[in-house]
Amino acid sequence: MHTILAILFLFVALLSVVSIIRQLKYKNMLALGFSVITTLAFGFFSIATIISEISGS
């Protein structure tokens, strides 16, 4: 079950990376800030969940 959650978090993180690229193109700083925060948060939780599942804790 946690693996599915990690994959969903990773998918959201990848979509936010696409959003970062688009917002850099449009020079929209507020949306860029939210995209960066979203990428960091979801990326961290995705990697942490995957590591937790691999290590078995």
Side-chain angles (χ1 to χ4, degrees):
M1 183 64 177
H2 290 127
T3 308
I4 296 170
L5 181 66
I7 292 170
L8 287 174
F9 281 168
L10 189 60
F11 183 68
V12 171
L14 290 174
L15 283 177
S16 9
V17 169
V18 172
S19 175
I20 288 173
I21 295 168
R22 289 187 71 190
Q23 298 313 319
L24 280 171
K25 180 180 172 184
Y26 294 138
K27 297 183 175 107
N28 187 351
M29 292 303 139
L30 182 64
L32 178 64
F34 280 115
S35 295
V36 168
I37 291 169
T38 303
T39 302
L40 291 175
F42 279 96
F44 171 76
F45 285 115
S46 171
I47 298 301
T49 306
I50 290 171
I51 290 173
S52 173
E53 285 297 313
I54 289 174
S55 68
S57 327

